[in-house]
Amino acid sequence: IQQLGVLNYFNPEALQPQITPVPGDATAVDITYKVEERSTDTFNASIGFAGTFGLTGSVGFTFNNFSLLEPFQGGGGQMFNFNAEIGQMSRYQSISLGYSEPWLNDEPTTVGFNIYDTRLRFNPLDQRRTGISANIGRRFKWPDDYFRGDLFARYQINNISGDPGVFFRPGYNTEVTIGASVSRISIDNMFFATQGSRFSLSSNWAMGAINVGTTDFLKNEIQFDFYNPL
């Protein structure tokens, strides 16, 4: 039930298994899962006004059951998304394109990439970040099949001019980052969880200290959420 619910392809309220004893066998049962399919693709468009960026607008879509071989049919379980945001007078611009294959070669192996370009122009700061990232991950069988591990790599160009203050390094800098994470997710629903937990431990290293790129940092994060009905 948990694995079917996390897929987000079916109505979680309709996931009620029918358990029937097998006649003549006291050690076995037949379990029938009745599923109710629902659309998982999303499209968004918005317009608004912010004091910092003026009139803003965004448009995007996400295909959560995409098929690269049959893009107009779907059903491949792949994720494909595109998002674009624009602020008034080109104060803010952001565009991204991503793809993920969660089940490579019929194995619990995930591969994906993301391409993005973001520019912020807020006097006296002019900041632009352009990059590409890729990841590969796999579900573990030990300690249990809720665990997974992921490897991550990113190449990013940081172009900052004007007066960046003390928070940013001015000029043209490159960033080459590698990272890894271990996580465990046992929640019963990706969006409206009522039981289970979510844990992750990750570390990202920009390798400027060893002259791979010109940006150097080490970022470690721990996150833990648990859900329990009151």
Side-chain angles (χ1 to χ4, degrees), residues 152 154 177-182 199-206 216-224:
F152 161 85
R154 177 178 66 215
T177 303
I178 58 174
S181 69
V182 176
F199 166 80
S200 66
L201 171 63
S202 64
S203 180
N204 294 321
W205 177 34
D216 178 37
F217 65 80
L218 179 64
K219 182 178 181 180
N220 301 304
E221 289 184 286
I222 298 177
Q223 180 178 351
F224 177 68

mmCIF file of all heavy atoms in Angstrom, residues 152 154 177-182 199-206 216-224:
data_model
loop_
_atom_site.group_PDB
_atom_site.id
_atom_site.type_symbol
_atom_site.label_atom_id
_atom_site.label_comp_id
_atom_site.label_asym_id
_atom_site.label_seq_id
_atom_site.Cartn_x
_atom_site.Cartn_y
_atom_site.Cartn_z
ATOM 1 N N PHE A 152 25.872 13.095 -6.774
ATOM 2 C CA PHE A 152 25.460 14.334 -7.418
ATOM 3 C C PHE A 152 26.692 15.072 -7.929
ATOM 4 O O PHE A 152 27.746 15.067 -7.285
ATOM 5 C CB PHE A 152 24.694 15.181 -6.389
ATOM 6 C CG PHE A 152 24.572 16.639 -6.715
ATOM 7 C CD1 PHE A 152 23.551 17.096 -7.535
ATOM 8 C CD2 PHE A 152 25.462 17.560 -6.192
ATOM 9 C CE1 PHE A 152 23.439 18.439 -7.826
ATOM 10 C CE2 PHE A 152 25.358 18.899 -6.473
ATOM 11 C CZ PHE A 152 24.335 19.346 -7.295
ATOM 12 N N ARG A 154 27.691 18.899 -10.167
ATOM 13 C CA ARG A 154 27.173 20.142 -10.756
ATOM 14 C C ARG A 154 28.325 20.996 -11.275
ATOM 15 O O ARG A 154 29.368 21.120 -10.623
ATOM 16 C CB ARG A 154 26.377 20.936 -9.720
ATOM 17 C CG ARG A 154 25.862 22.299 -10.241
ATOM 18 C CD ARG A 154 25.033 23.009 -9.196
ATOM 19 N NE ARG A 154 25.840 23.380 -8.041
ATOM 20 C CZ ARG A 154 25.393 23.382 -6.794
ATOM 21 N NH1 ARG A 154 24.154 22.980 -6.534
ATOM 22 N NH2 ARG A 154 26.181 23.749 -5.803
ATOM 23 N N THR A 177 30.963 21.102 -8.211
ATOM 24 C CA THR A 177 30.512 20.551 -6.935
ATOM 25 C C THR A 177 30.169 19.075 -7.086
ATOM 26 O O THR A 177 29.540 18.676 -8.068
ATOM 27 C CB THR A 177 29.263 21.300 -6.426
ATOM 28 O OG1 THR A 177 29.563 22.697 -6.322
ATOM 29 C CG2 THR A 177 28.826 20.782 -5.071
ATOM 30 N N ILE A 178 30.610 18.285 -6.129
ATOM 31 C CA ILE A 178 30.202 16.886 -6.049
ATOM 32 C C ILE A 178 29.542 16.671 -4.692
ATOM 33 O O ILE A 178 29.813 17.392 -3.724
ATOM 34 C CB ILE A 178 31.391 15.914 -6.223
ATOM 35 C CG1 ILE A 178 32.457 16.169 -5.166
ATOM 36 C CG2 ILE A 178 31.971 16.027 -7.619
ATOM 37 C CD1 ILE A 178 33.587 15.153 -5.179
ATOM 38 N N GLY A 179 28.663 15.684 -4.633
ATOM 39 C CA GLY A 179 27.972 15.452 -3.381
ATOM 40 C C GLY A 179 27.414 14.046 -3.305
ATOM 41 O O GLY A 179 27.372 13.304 -4.294
ATOM 42 N N ALA A 180 26.990 13.681 -2.105
ATOM 43 C CA ALA A 180 26.395 12.367 -1.868
ATOM 44 C C ALA A 180 25.368 12.502 -0.763
ATOM 45 O O ALA A 180 25.453 13.394 0.090
ATOM 46 C CB ALA A 180 27.464 11.347 -1.485
ATOM 47 N N SER A 181 24.386 11.626 -0.785
ATOM 48 C CA SER A 181 23.369 11.642 0.259
ATOM 49 C C SER A 181 22.873 10.224 0.519
ATOM 50 O O SER A 181 22.891 9.368 -0.363
ATOM 51 C CB SER A 181 22.190 12.545 -0.129
ATOM 52 O OG SER A 181 21.452 11.978 -1.192
ATOM 53 N N VAL A 182 22.439 10.016 1.741
ATOM 54 C CA VAL A 182 21.769 8.784 2.149
ATOM 55 C C VAL A 182 20.433 9.189 2.750
ATOM 56 O O VAL A 182 20.377 10.111 3.574
ATOM 57 C CB VAL A 182 22.599 7.992 3.180
ATOM 58 C CG1 VAL A 182 21.831 6.772 3.663
ATOM 59 C CG2 VAL A 182 23.935 7.579 2.589
ATOM 60 N N PHE A 199 14.029 10.903 6.315
ATOM 61 C CA PHE A 199 15.336 11.260 6.856
ATOM 62 C C PHE A 199 16.339 11.375 5.717
ATOM 63 O O PHE A 199 16.308 10.584 4.766
ATOM 64 C CB PHE A 199 15.821 10.193 7.849
ATOM 65 C CG PHE A 199 17.282 10.313 8.200
ATOM 66 C CD1 PHE A 199 17.710 11.242 9.128
ATOM 67 C CD2 PHE A 199 18.231 9.513 7.584
ATOM 68 C CE1 PHE A 199 19.058 11.369 9.444
ATOM 69 C CE2 PHE A 199 19.579 9.621 7.883
ATOM 70 C CZ PHE A 199 19.988 10.564 8.821
ATOM 71 N N SER A 200 17.228 12.359 5.797
ATOM 72 C CA SER A 200 18.283 12.483 4.792
ATOM 73 C C SER A 200 19.535 13.077 5.423
ATOM 74 O O SER A 200 19.458 13.937 6.311
ATOM 75 C CB SER A 200 17.829 13.371 3.617
ATOM 76 O OG SER A 200 17.630 14.700 4.030
ATOM 77 N N LEU A 201 20.674 12.599 4.958
ATOM 78 C CA LEU A 201 21.987 13.102 5.345
ATOM 79 C C LEU A 201 22.764 13.350 4.057
ATOM 80 O O LEU A 201 22.962 12.420 3.266
ATOM 81 C CB LEU A 201 22.721 12.090 6.229
ATOM 82 C CG LEU A 201 24.198 12.377 6.538
ATOM 83 C CD1 LEU A 201 24.326 13.670 7.330
ATOM 84 C CD2 LEU A 201 24.828 11.211 7.290
ATOM 85 N N SER A 202 23.170 14.598 3.826
ATOM 86 C CA SER A 202 23.823 14.936 2.561
ATOM 87 C C SER A 202 25.047 15.805 2.805
ATOM 88 O O SER A 202 25.150 16.516 3.810
ATOM 89 C CB SER A 202 22.849 15.675 1.633
ATOM 90 O OG SER A 202 22.466 16.920 2.190
ATOM 91 N N SER A 203 25.978 15.744 1.843
ATOM 92 C CA SER A 203 27.191 16.547 1.891
ATOM 93 C C SER A 203 27.556 16.960 0.470
ATOM 94 O O SER A 203 27.586 16.118 -0.434
ATOM 95 C CB SER A 203 28.341 15.751 2.523
ATOM 96 O OG SER A 203 29.519 16.539 2.574
ATOM 97 N N ASN A 204 27.809 18.275 0.264
ATOM 98 C CA ASN A 204 28.202 18.816 -1.029
ATOM 99 C C ASN A 204 29.515 19.579 -0.875
ATOM 100 O O ASN A 204 29.683 20.358 0.063
ATOM 101 C CB ASN A 204 27.126 19.765 -1.584
ATOM 102 C CG ASN A 204 25.842 19.042 -1.918
ATOM 103 O OD1 ASN A 204 25.871 17.928 -2.425
ATOM 104 N ND2 ASN A 204 24.710 19.664 -1.634
ATOM 105 N N TRP A 205 30.430 19.366 -1.838
ATOM 106 C CA TRP A 205 31.752 19.989 -1.777
ATOM 107 C C TRP A 205 32.063 20.649 -3.113
ATOM 108 O O TRP A 205 32.121 19.977 -4.139
ATOM 109 C CB TRP A 205 32.810 18.942 -1.450
ATOM 110 C CG TRP A 205 34.217 19.480 -1.436
ATOM 111 C CD1 TRP A 205 34.627 20.711 -1.039
ATOM 112 C CD2 TRP A 205 35.404 18.785 -1.850
ATOM 113 N NE1 TRP A 205 35.983 20.839 -1.172
ATOM 114 C CE2 TRP A 205 36.489 19.676 -1.670
ATOM 115 C CE3 TRP A 205 35.639 17.500 -2.338
ATOM 116 C CZ2 TRP A 205 37.785 19.318 -1.971
ATOM 117 C CZ3 TRP A 205 36.945 17.149 -2.637
ATOM 118 C CH2 TRP A 205 38.005 18.048 -2.460
ATOM 119 N N ALA A 206 32.244 21.964 -3.090
ATOM 120 C CA ALA A 206 32.758 22.705 -4.241
ATOM 121 C C ALA A 206 34.279 22.695 -4.151
ATOM 122 O O ALA A 206 34.857 23.167 -3.163
ATOM 123 C CB ALA A 206 32.223 24.138 -4.245
ATOM 124 N N ASP A 216 34.869 27.509 -3.528
ATOM 125 C CA ASP A 216 35.178 26.495 -2.525
ATOM 126 C C ASP A 216 34.197 26.599 -1.365
ATOM 127 O O ASP A 216 34.039 27.654 -0.761
ATOM 128 C CB ASP A 216 36.613 26.668 -2.016
ATOM 129 C CG ASP A 216 36.961 25.654 -0.934
ATOM 130 O OD1 ASP A 216 36.515 24.506 -1.043
ATOM 131 O OD2 ASP A 216 37.654 26.037 0.032
ATOM 132 N N PHE A 217 33.505 25.491 -1.066
ATOM 133 C CA PHE A 217 32.687 25.418 0.149
ATOM 134 C C PHE A 217 32.392 23.962 0.454
ATOM 135 O O PHE A 217 32.508 23.080 -0.397
ATOM 136 C CB PHE A 217 31.382 26.222 0.016
ATOM 137 C CG PHE A 217 30.419 25.697 -1.018
ATOM 138 C CD1 PHE A 217 29.586 24.615 -0.762
ATOM 139 C CD2 PHE A 217 30.325 26.313 -2.264
ATOM 140 C CE1 PHE A 217 28.695 24.157 -1.712
ATOM 141 C CE2 PHE A 217 29.441 25.854 -3.222
ATOM 142 C CZ PHE A 217 28.629 24.775 -2.949
ATOM 143 N N LEU A 218 31.988 23.718 1.678
ATOM 144 C CA LEU A 218 31.544 22.397 2.122
ATOM 145 C C LEU A 218 30.228 22.583 2.858
ATOM 146 O O LEU A 218 30.153 23.351 3.819
ATOM 147 C CB LEU A 218 32.583 21.742 3.040
ATOM 148 C CG LEU A 218 32.212 20.354 3.583
ATOM 149 C CD1 LEU A 218 32.099 19.351 2.441
ATOM 150 C CD2 LEU A 218 33.230 19.894 4.623
ATOM 151 N N LYS A 219 29.200 21.894 2.401
ATOM 152 C CA LYS A 219 27.856 22.058 2.960
ATOM 153 C C LYS A 219 27.322 20.701 3.386
ATOM 154 O O LYS A 219 27.212 19.788 2.568
ATOM 155 C CB LYS A 219 26.927 22.687 1.919
ATOM 156 C CG LYS A 219 25.513 22.936 2.408
ATOM 157 C CD LYS A 219 24.684 23.592 1.320
ATOM 158 C CE LYS A 219 23.271 23.872 1.795
ATOM 159 N NZ LYS A 219 22.450 24.520 0.716
ATOM 160 N N ASN A 220 27.014 20.569 4.677
ATOM 161 C CA ASN A 220 26.465 19.333 5.225
ATOM 162 C C ASN A 220 25.069 19.604 5.788
ATOM 163 O O ASN A 220 24.859 20.611 6.475
ATOM 164 C CB ASN A 220 27.364 18.781 6.330
ATOM 165 C CG ASN A 220 28.765 18.495 5.833
ATOM 166 O OD1 ASN A 220 28.948 17.753 4.880
ATOM 167 N ND2 ASN A 220 29.753 19.105 6.467
ATOM 168 N N GLU A 221 24.141 18.692 5.511
ATOM 169 C CA GLU A 221 22.765 18.883 5.959
ATOM 170 C C GLU A 221 22.191 17.580 6.512
ATOM 171 O O GLU A 221 22.455 16.496 5.982
ATOM 172 C CB GLU A 221 21.873 19.344 4.806
ATOM 173 C CG GLU A 221 22.119 20.752 4.331
ATOM 174 C CD GLU A 221 21.123 21.153 3.257
ATOM 175 O OE1 GLU A 221 21.272 20.667 2.127
ATOM 176 O OE2 GLU A 221 20.188 21.923 3.555
ATOM 177 N N ILE A 222 21.411 17.710 7.570
ATOM 178 C CA ILE A 222 20.631 16.608 8.128
ATOM 179 C C ILE A 222 19.186 17.073 8.217
ATOM 180 O O ILE A 222 18.919 18.169 8.709
ATOM 181 C CB ILE A 222 21.133 16.185 9.521
ATOM 182 C CG1 ILE A 222 22.574 15.668 9.447
ATOM 183 C CG2 ILE A 222 20.225 15.117 10.122
ATOM 184 C CD1 ILE A 222 23.141 15.302 10.798
ATOM 185 N N GLN A 223 18.279 16.238 7.734
ATOM 186 C CA GLN A 223 16.862 16.573 7.795
ATOM 187 C C GLN A 223 16.077 15.352 8.269
ATOM 188 O O GLN A 223 16.339 14.223 7.847
ATOM 189 C CB GLN A 223 16.337 17.011 6.425
ATOM 190 C CG GLN A 223 14.857 17.368 6.414
ATOM 191 C CD GLN A 223 14.384 17.840 5.046
ATOM 192 O OE1 GLN A 223 15.194 18.067 4.145
ATOM 193 N NE2 GLN A 223 13.093 17.982 4.895
ATOM 194 N N PHE A 224 15.129 15.597 9.172
ATOM 195 C CA PHE A 224 14.299 14.496 9.667
ATOM 196 C C PHE A 224 12.876 14.993 9.902
ATOM 197 O O PHE A 224 12.677 16.011 10.569
ATOM 198 C CB PHE A 224 14.872 13.922 10.967
ATOM 199 C CG PHE A 224 14.013 12.823 11.550
ATOM 200 C CD1 PHE A 224 13.903 11.603 10.894
ATOM 201 C CD2 PHE A 224 13.319 13.011 12.715
ATOM 202 C CE1 PHE A 224 13.109 10.596 11.416
ATOM 203 C CE2 PHE A 224 12.521 12.017 13.251
ATOM 204 C CZ PHE A 224 12.423 10.797 12.599
#
